[in-house]
Amino acid sequence: MSKDSLDGPVTYTATDSMVLDVPTKKISLYSNATTKYKDLDLSAAKIELDQPTQIVLATFTRDSAGKMVGKPHFVQGESNMDADSITYNFKSQKGLTKTTFTQQGEMYVWGERIKKINLTDFYAISGRFTTCNLDTPHFAFRTKKLKLVNKKLAISGPIHPEFEGVPIPIYIPFGFFPLSQGRHSGILPPQFTTNAQYGVGLEGLGYYKVLNDMFDAMFRGDLYSYGGWRATLTPSYRVRYRYQGRLNLAIQHTRILSNDPKKEYDVNQSFNIQWSHSADSKARPGTSFSASVNAGSTQYNKLVGSNPSINFQNQLYSSITYTKNWNNKFNLSLSAGHDQNSNTRQVNIRLPDGSFTVNNFYPFQKKEFVGEAKWYEKLGIGLNSQFRNQASFYDSLFTFGTFIDTMQWGAQHSIPITLALPSLGPLQVSPGFSYTERWYAQQFFRTWNPTTNKVDSSISKGFYTARDISFSVGLNTAIFGMFNNFGKNSRVRAIRHVVRPSVSASYHPDLNGKDYYYVQTDTTGRLLHASKYAGSLYGPFSAGEFGGLSFNLDNNLEMKVKSKTDTTEEGIKKVKLLDGFGLSTNYNFLADSFRLAPISFYVRSTLFEKINITASASMDPYKADSKGYRINQYAWDGGGFSLGRITSGNIAISTSFKSKQGDDKNKLTEGQQEKNGLLPMTMEEQQAQLNYVRNNPAEFADFKIPWSVNISYSLSFITAPKKDYSGFQTQLSSSLNLSGDFNLSPKWKVGANTFYDFRGSSLQQLTMFLSRELHCWQMGINITPVGLYRSFNITINPKSGLLRDLKINRSKYFYTQ
């Protein structure tokens, strides 16, 4: 093979003509010319190939109106560029382009002349780079010298910015721009803020360090002029197809202006620990380990001034769980956890908790089935054992001694025996037997103190047991009804009603009456029936002998509706009117009083496939005296009509409306993300992103949705005894969450999010935002006029993640309590 020949074929096409000049050995292609050589693809209006030198020249042409036609386009590997002219040497793979435009990641680069020296390296003179994709960008950075390493980095000499083509006399001695995808170590720039209680501050200053493909860490800090600060360390780890997790350690030194005239500042030290871990279920089949920890000082959330969304999060929860399964026969679960309330400052720690379960096995079942199984072969026996350890204390009074004194433990063992009998036509009969035993670490006693006229309490620690046995037989069926006698012109074709009644008879002897006693609760001599195991981890068994019936009635309603446009059978669709509604109660024939249990009602529905409604209530069928205590007399006795007293209930209504969303052509699938070097985000990373979105909604306004509204309302009440047992009181809570946004114009969007507490008759928090679409830039204004921290924030920054920290920001916070 000749030394001057290429190591691959060159293919070329043209729609107009191809001219071969034999003396000079030049080939000219005209109109839509293309040349392909290995991974190189070149297209232009005109292409000339010089065979002796293996140099190709591509140029454009102009139409009769003088418009540029067939601008050269060059693609090789990951290099992609457009230019007025392209000169390229097939042998050396070097080239020179004039008036060239190329894209590197999120950056668009233009150069008067660009020289390609190898497959990845380029040099440019009189360059311009920006993240705006317009021919005349809204903003750009100008430089005389620029070097590009494809998909890795760009290095420039002195640069200066320009807006709308107007240069700004601000010069930077050099520029360094990372172009590669994925994670990179670097400085995290801060945000300048002013806070009426904290002072002037820098928030978010830190450093991100990539240690390897499996481990990285981020350090951030907040500094305030009054002496307060906050530091967070967030390492994360991941091993693909095995496990991943993230740890967040935060220490906060709060020093804010005091409302007490005797001192200038209020000083507080607080901390917070968050840890999340999840394992791939395929890594170790049958075994799993997960963790979700959120613990720390009860005042931490309240004193974070830069994140208003967590100021009202009064509950913290943690859970660490390990599970092991043996061939779906035995299951072991070990866990540890905690919960704490920021208002009461009470902390509950559970360590360890566990359960061991033996799935139902059938001792009389044959190993090989021959014909239909006998009824006794369906007798199943199982085991469910649980144990718990818990300590409760107030964080302000915590000592190791307090932790030990408040520690209590308990266990519960249950052996269920089931038997699936053959159905009797439409009826299904299910007998059952259950034995349950509980172990307690303490007994709780209440005694009346005639000196103080109050109830005193005492605790006796030790090892105590209680057990309970129950027998039951259940009967259930389903009844269907349909009404379809509608007119011909009616869109409603039929209404279907399904009723599922179930009745069960059960009996359990009085094995725990000895654990109950009567205690005087007031000066009138009123007696309360109490258990020695009240307040224990698993609670006491019910007292007295029970032999009675339990009744449950479940319903649902559906409707068939005919479409206005589609008259075929496919045009008829089902609409759920009520997903479920019903009641349940039981009656004890052996009780000497209060035989009928409270009646529970419930209803759930999704109206118009938009409005979600769930409600429940409990009705006591007995009358009450002047102080609210039950008396053994039905509500409907003695004249008048009354079904009973509603003692508790709740209702929750939520809905969401939004206009039709346009297609997001820029959205990447998970496969495309991995192809571009972007790993899918973990749940913790998604949560961190969501927190940032909540705090800065204006930066993430979706102009493709013209409007959206989200409404949720909740109401709950319960009638509970007073602390001194002098009567009952109704505890009511009601709240409304409302959020929404709409486009004032195609480029302006306004929105708000609020929470109203009806019990306190106050607006707990209100956040509003205004966003302006500026093509490659965006402006966001976030205002929180109501809340623990009132704030104002305005930000103008590029949309590109590459230049996201190049922003103008003004933030101000006001502490209201």
Side-chain angles (χ1 to χ4, degrees), residues 94-139:
K94 296 181 180 180
L96 181 66
T97 64
K98 296 181 179 180
T99 316
T100 308
F101 176 84
T102 182
Q103 182 178 357
Q104 298 286 327
E106 293 183 89
M107 184 176 293
Y108 300 94
V109 181
W110 178 91
E112 183 177 328
R113 284 186 296 170
I114 294 181
K115 183 178 181 181
K116 180 178 182 296
I117 61 173
N118 54 43
L119 189 62
T120 59
D121 296 345
F122 301 82
Y123 287 95
I125 190 171
S126 298
R128 179 191 71 196
F129 47 94
T130 179
T131 57
C132 181
N133 60 356
L134 297 180
D135 292 337
T136 303
H138 290 104
F139 78 100

Side-chain angles (χ1 to χ4, degrees), residues 356-559:
F356 179 75
T357 303
V358 178
N359 294 335
N360 278 2
F361 63 94
Y362 302 89
F364 303 110
Q365 190 177 81
K366 297 179 180 179
K367 294 183 178 181
E368 296 182 0
F369 286 100
V370 179
E372 186 177 355
K374 304 296 183 181
W375 65 270
Y376 57 83
E377 294 179 351
K378 298 180 180 181
L379 179 69
I381 303 175
L383 171 66
N384 187 1
S385 295
Q386 303 176 17
F387 64 89
R388 293 181 60 186
N389 296 270
Q390 178 174 301
S392 300
F393 54 87
Y394 292 94
D395 66 341
S396 57
L397 303 175
F398 172 75
T399 62
F400 184 74
T402 304
F403 179 83
I404 297 298
D405 290 340
T406 60
M407 174 70 75
Q408 62 171 314
W409 60 268
Q412 175 176 278
H413 311 280
S414 176
I415 302 177
I417 300 177
T418 60
L419 179 62
L421 295 178
S423 59
L424 303 176
L427 302 178
Q428 180 67 45
V429 182
S430 303
F433 168 79
S434 178
Y435 171 80
T436 304
E437 181 170 323
R438 293 175 182 170
W439 298 347
Y440 303 98
Q442 63 183 29
Q443 291 183 339
F444 185 76
F445 295 96
R446 300 180 180 91
T447 55
W448 173 255
N449 190 332
T451 304
T452 60
N453 290 332
K454 291 183 179 181
V455 177
D456 294 336
S457 60
S458 61
I459 295 177
S460 175
K461 290 184 176 292
F463 177 77
Y464 309 96
T465 62
R467 54 198 56 85
D468 190 56
I469 300 176
S470 65
F471 307 87
S472 66
V473 57
L475 186 69
N476 60 79
T477 187
I479 304 172
F480 303 87
M482 181 177 292
F483 179 79
N484 54 9
N485 189 17
F486 293 94
K488 294 182 179 180
N489 298 326
S490 175
R491 291 185 58 204
V492 180
R493 308 302 296 171
I495 293 180
R496 186 189 189 198
H497 182 200
V498 181
V499 183
R500 294 182 176 86
S502 63
V503 180
S504 65
S506 60
Y507 170 78
H508 76 77
D510 184 14
L511 301 181
N512 300 283
K514 64 182 184 303
D515 297 329
Y516 283 80
Y517 60 94
Y518 287 93
V519 58
Q520 181 179 342
T521 59
D522 55 27
T523 55
T524 63
R526 186 185 305 277
L527 298 179
L528 174 68
H529 198 214
S531 171
K532 294 186 292 185
Y533 300 120
S536 60
L537 295 180
Y538 288 101
F541 288 109
S542 59
E545 187 179 22
F546 181 88
L549 293 176
S550 298
F551 177 75
N552 182 71
L553 182 66
D554 183 59
N555 304 260
N556 66 49
L557 280 177
E558 293 181 342
M559 179 173 62

Side-chain angles (χ1 to χ4, degrees), residues 4-156:
D4 295 333
S5 64
L6 299 175
D7 57 354
V10 179
T11 60
Y12 42 86
T13 62
T15 59
D16 185 286
S17 60
M18 180 186 73
V19 177
L20 173 61
D21 188 350
V22 176
T24 60
K25 295 183 180 181
K26 287 186 178 181
I27 300 175
S28 301
L29 308 174
Y30 296 92
S31 184
N32 296 327
T34 63
T35 300
K36 295 182 179 180
Y37 167 67
K38 297 175 67 174
D39 64 339
L40 181 146
D41 191 343
L42 177 64
S43 62
K46 179 183 177 182
I47 297 178
E48 292 183 356
L49 174 61
D50 189 336
Q51 288 186 326
T53 61
Q54 301 298 335
I55 294 177
V56 62
L57 172 64
T59 58
F60 66 91
T61 186
R62 295 186 183 274
D63 58 14
S64 58
K67 185 179 179 180
M68 184 183 297
V69 177
K71 192 172 182 178
H73 181 69
F74 177 90
V75 178
Q76 185 180 26
E78 296 181 343
S79 301
N80 191 325
M81 62 180 63
D82 295 283
D84 289 354
S85 69
I86 297 177
T87 304
Y88 184 78
N89 190 309
F90 282 129
K91 294 183 63 177
S92 64
Q93 296 191 6
K94 296 181 180 180
L96 181 66
T97 64
K98 296 181 179 180
T99 316
T100 308
F101 176 84
T102 182
Q103 182 178 357
Q104 298 286 327
E106 293 183 89
M107 184 176 293
Y108 300 94
V109 181
W110 178 91
E112 183 177 328
R113 284 186 296 170
I114 294 181
K115 183 178 181 181
K116 180 178 182 296
I117 61 173
N118 54 43
L119 189 62
T120 59
D121 296 345
F122 301 82
Y123 287 95
I125 190 171
S126 298
R128 179 191 71 196
F129 47 94
T130 179
T131 57
C132 181
N133 60 356
L134 297 180
D135 292 337
T136 303
H138 290 104
F139 78 100
F141 294 92
R142 289 277 187 175
T143 182
K144 289 186 176 181
K145 297 180 180 180
L146 178 68
K147 178 182 179 180
L148 291 172
V149 180
N150 193 40
K151 301 297 182 180
K152 289 187 177 181
L153 56 88
I155 303 174
S156 73

Side-chain angles (χ1 to χ4, degrees), residues 25 69 229 294 506 536 548 681 697 701 719 736 790:
K25 295 183 180 181
V69 177
W229 53 269
N294 186 6
S506 60
S536 60
M681 289 191 299
T719 303
L736 173 69
R790 294 177 296 160

Side-chain angles (χ1 to χ4, degrees), residues 507-776:
Y507 170 78
H508 76 77
D510 184 14
L511 301 181
N512 300 283
K514 64 182 184 303
D515 297 329
Y516 283 80
Y517 60 94
Y518 287 93
V519 58
Q520 181 179 342
T521 59
D522 55 27
T523 55
T524 63
R526 186 185 305 277
L527 298 179
L528 174 68
H529 198 214
S531 171
K532 294 186 292 185
Y533 300 120
S536 60
L537 295 180
Y538 288 101
F541 288 109
S542 59
E545 187 179 22
F546 181 88
L549 293 176
S550 298
F551 177 75
N552 182 71
L553 182 66
D554 183 59
N555 304 260
N556 66 49
L557 280 177
E558 293 181 342
M559 179 173 62
K560 287 185 177 181
V561 182
K562 182 175 63 176
S563 173
K564 292 182 179 180
T565 57
D566 191 350
T567 58
T568 64
E569 290 296 327
E570 296 180 357
I572 297 177
K573 69 174 184 177
K574 291 182 180 180
V575 177
K576 291 185 177 182
L577 299 177
L578 290 174
D579 297 339
F581 65 97
L583 57 91
S584 62
T585 186
N586 64 74
Y587 189 87
N588 186 4
F589 292 99
L590 303 180
D592 55 356
S593 61
F594 303 110
R595 293 183 175 182
L596 182 62
I599 305 172
S600 299
F601 300 90
Y602 66 90
V603 62
R604 60 184 184 275
S605 179
T606 304
L607 300 179
F608 314 111
E609 299 181 353
K610 280 291 184 181
I611 305 175
N612 301 313
I613 302 175
T614 59
S616 64
S618 180
M619 185 180 69
D620 190 347
Y622 292 94
K623 292 182 179 180
D625 59 16
S626 58
K627 290 191 175 182
Y629 286 92
R630 306 170 76 196
I631 59 177
N632 190 27
Q633 184 178 0
Y634 288 116
W636 49 83
D637 290 344
F641 177 77
S642 176
L643 294 178
R645 300 175 295 111
I646 302 296
T647 57
S648 65
N650 65 81
I651 183 172
I653 304 174
S654 63
T655 184
S656 176
F657 301 96
K658 66 179 179 180
S659 58
K660 187 176 180 181
Q661 182 179 5
D663 295 333
D664 190 357
K665 298 180 180 180
N666 296 323
K667 187 176 180 179
L668 296 178
T669 64
E670 183 173 317
Q672 291 172 329
Q673 288 178 345
E674 293 191 9
K675 184 177 179 180
N676 293 342
L678 299 174
L679 295 178
M681 289 191 299
T682 63
M683 291 298 296
E684 296 73 29
E685 291 170 333
Q686 293 178 24
Q687 188 62 39
Q689 291 281 2
L690 288 175
N691 289 335
Y692 186 85
V693 172
R694 292 190 189 102
N695 298 332
N696 304 272
E699 296 184 30
F700 300 90
D702 190 351
F703 289 88
K704 295 180 181 179
I705 303 178
W707 60 269
S708 66
V709 177
N710 302 292
I711 305 172
S712 63
Y713 172 78
S714 64
L715 169 68
S716 63
F717 66 92
I718 185 172
T719 303
K722 297 180 180 179
K723 293 183 178 180
D724 58 358
Y725 303 100
S726 61
F728 287 77
Q729 61 182 358
T730 301
Q731 300 175 357
L732 176 69
S733 62
S734 178
S735 62
L736 173 69
N737 272 314
L738 179 64
S739 64
D741 57 67
F742 64 92
N743 291 353
L744 296 173
S745 70
K747 301 297 183 181
W748 284 95
K749 181 180 281 290
V750 63
N753 181 13
T754 184
F755 174 79
Y756 186 83
D757 181 14
F758 289 93
R759 183 179 181 182
S761 299
S762 62
L763 197 66
Q764 295 294 320
Q765 190 171 15
L766 173 63
T767 301
M768 300 180 292
F769 75 87
L770 180 66
S771 184
R772 174 70 166 98
E773 165 70 33
L774 299 172
H775 187 253
C776 54

